[in-house]
Amino acid sequence: MNELLASLTALAGFVVGAFAVLAIRNHGDNRRALEPAETVEPGVLPQGVASVLAVLPSSAVVLDHTDRVLRASSAARAFGLVKGDHLMAAELLALARQVRRDGEIRESEIEVAGHKFGLEATTFAVRVAPLGSHGQVLVLAEDQTERRRVEAVRRDFVANVSHELKTPVGALSLLAETIQDAADDPEAVTRFAGRMQHEAARLTYLVQDLITLSRIQGGEPIPTPGPVPVDETVHEAIDRCNTKAAAKDITLVAGGTQGLRVWGDDELLVTALRNLIDNAVAYSPEHTRVVVSARPAGDAVEVSVSDQGIGIPESAQERIFERFFRVDAARSRATGGTGLGLAIVKHVSVAHGGEVTVWSKEGSGSTFTLRLPAFGGTAVAVPSTNTNPLEAAK
């Protein structure tokens, strides 16, 4: 029995000693864990924070306990969030003070006015968190302006497609019912059948334009580019627009430098030029003319379409290449336009590594210029032994 008590006493002593050692060790570890934080001064960033902020893609700002900016990324200064050592966005400053008070991470979305004249407001998704134990606060702001713009364009596109498809489909349905009710009136049937053909053609053009736009707007390179004679492209585009132009007694004229070639896809370029000429015809008064001309421009070829139409207000010129955007919606629908023509032109030009620009003045007409890379790297006219197709078409 005595031996058993001695053994139990020894075991108890061992356990107590082990706990004492562990307690002392844990106390030492805790002290060492606190030491770095205690040695960091209130106006100095914790070790490693500056390196992390340098590689962050977001706008990053660190504030001290007095709201003074300790560190700000170049993006934060470029957006005007920080000036000197002050955080300029009042809403962000208020969030930072709340986080400093209660230590809770906060997320929000704010708009900051453009810091330069003429710039639109920028939308930021922000995240504010405490940093260290001296009242420092980290502010991260991600620019959401482009994402919101893309979402708005997508919503508008879906809404506009739905509307544009409903109009001819609804008209066709109504006209079909009307013809059925007027089966005993041949004159009415003929009149309504003509209207049905018009609406069916409008629907066909819309579907074709949607297919063309979806094919080229992905930004993918042209599958099989090659040399494209500009003369032939202009001739083909004019030929496809002659019927509409003749109905308004509008003369289509081809001019400029002959024998130029560009690098690309001939059918896409014909489509782009056809849309520009169609637009010119639709918005020009009767008995006028539309001129299509080509000229060399260094490593590019410029093809311009000029009209004597109503012109485009300066306020609308930045938006005319958007899908379904119309300067005059009533006039566009009256002319049967789909609202996709100029968007197609823009995407065709981008797919070819070129651009499209516009000059216009209300009451004085418009000039759209398609600038495309020249075949061979330099715009040089190639003499042809064949008859010029533009002259042969006259």
Side-chain angles (χ1 to χ4, degrees):
M1 178 65 71
N2 291 333
E3 292 178 357
L4 179 61
L5 288 174
S7 299
L8 289 176
T9 302
L11 180 61
F14 174 78
V15 171
V16 171
F19 273 111
V21 170
L22 287 175
I24 294 170
R25 181 179 297 174
N26 288 337
H27 179 66
D29 290 343
N30 289 337
R31 287 190 61 186
R32 283 192 294 273
L34 291 174
E35 282 176 1
E38 294 296 333
T39 58
V40 175
E41 298 178 8
V44 178
L45 288 178
Q47 186 178 4
V49 171
S51 300
V52 174
L53 295 182
V55 298
L56 283 177
S58 309
S59 299
V61 182
V62 176
L63 302 176
D64 68 7
H65 66 287
T66 64
D67 293 333
R68 183 172 63 90
V69 174
L70 290 179
R71 180 63 62 94
S73 65
S74 57
R77 296 187 183 278
F79 280 117
L81 294 175
V82 174
K83 186 175 181 180
D85 60 355
H86 296 286
L87 185 63
M88 304 305 293
E91 194 171 348
L92 269 182
L93 194 56
L95 278 176
R97 289 169 178 170
Q98 290 177 6
V99 169
R100 186 182 293 115
R101 282 196 300 269
D102 56 28
E104 293 184 5
I105 297 174
R106 282 182 167 79
E107 295 181 353
S108 182
E109 192 169 278
I110 67 169
E111 282 194 358
V112 177
H115 61 289
K116 292 183 180 179
F117 180 76
L119 291 181
E120 296 181 356
T122 304
T123 303
F124 291 97
V126 298
R127 183 179 178 88
V128 185
L131 185 66
S133 59
H134 292 291
Q136 294 178 357
V137 175
L138 172 64
V139 178
L140 297 177
E142 189 75 30
D143 181 14
Q144 301 291 304
T145 307
E146 182 63 19
R147 180 183 65 80
R148 292 189 64 178
R149 189 192 68 80
V150 170
E151 288 178 354
V153 169
R154 185 183 296 112
R155 286 195 303 270
D156 290 345
F157 178 69
V158 172
N160 285 324
V161 166
S162 301
H163 175 76
E164 296 296 332
L165 288 174
K166 282 179 181 178
T167 302
V169 169
L172 285 171
S173 177
L174 183 61
L175 288 167
E177 292 179 7
T178 306
I179 287 178
Q180 189 175 18
D181 293 338
D184 298 331
D185 187 348
E187 184 178 344
V189 169
T190 302
R191 184 170 69 255
F192 291 130
R195 290 285 306 280
M196 287 185 71
Q197 289 178 336
H198 173 76
E199 295 296 338
R202 180 180 173 185
L203 184 59
T204 300
Y205 291 143
L206 177 59
V207 172
Q208 288 176 343
D209 283 351
L210 283 171
I211 292 172
T212 301
L213 188 59
S214 64
R215 185 161 63 95
I216 63 175
Q217 71 178 352
E220 298 179 1
I222 299 169
T224 55
V228 180
V230 175
D231 298 341
E232 294 180 13
T233 302
V234 171
H235 166 64
E236 180 64 25
I238 287 178
D239 190 55
R240 296 186 187 185
C241 300
N242 265 328
T243 302
K244 288 184 178 179
K248 297 179 67 175
D249 192 26
I250 292 176
T251 305
L252 302 181
V253 181
T257 306
Q258 299 176 8
L260 296 172
R261 295 185 299 172
V262 296
W263 183 263
D265 181 276
D266 54 351
E267 185 58 35
L268 283 178
L269 292 176
V270 168
T271 299
L273 275 178
R274 175 186 62 79
N275 277 294
L276 288 178
I277 298 170
D278 266 345
N279 242 38
V281 170
Y283 290 94
S284 294
E286 297 179 350
H287 319 301
T288 57
R289 70 175 190 165
V290 172
V291 179
V292 185
S293 61
R295 72 178 188 90
D299 60 351
V301 173
E302 294 182 349
V303 184
S304 300
V305 178
S306 303
D307 62 55
Q308 299 169 294
I310 60 176
I312 305 168
E314 187 175 354
S315 59
Q317 290 180 21
E318 292 185 359
R319 298 193 59 197
I320 56 176
F321 295 104
E322 295 178 12
R323 295 167 293 189
F324 294 112
F325 178 78
R326 291 182 169 100
V327 178
D328 185 344
R331 185 184 181 97
S332 296
R333 291 192 173 92
T335 58
T338 64
L340 294 173
L342 291 180
I344 290 174
V345 174
K346 176 184 175 181
H347 285 290
V348 168
S349 67
V350 171
H352 283 77
E355 63 176 348
V356 59
T357 57
V358 59
W359 173 91
S360 187
K361 185 178 180 181
E362 289 187 90
S364 300
S366 305
T367 297
F368 287 84
T369 302
L370 194 59
R371 183 182 175 90
L372 302 166
F375 178 71
T378 306
V380 178
V382 178
S384 175
T385 56
N386 299 325
T387 304
N388 180 12
L390 297 178
E391 295 295 333
K394 294 182 180 178

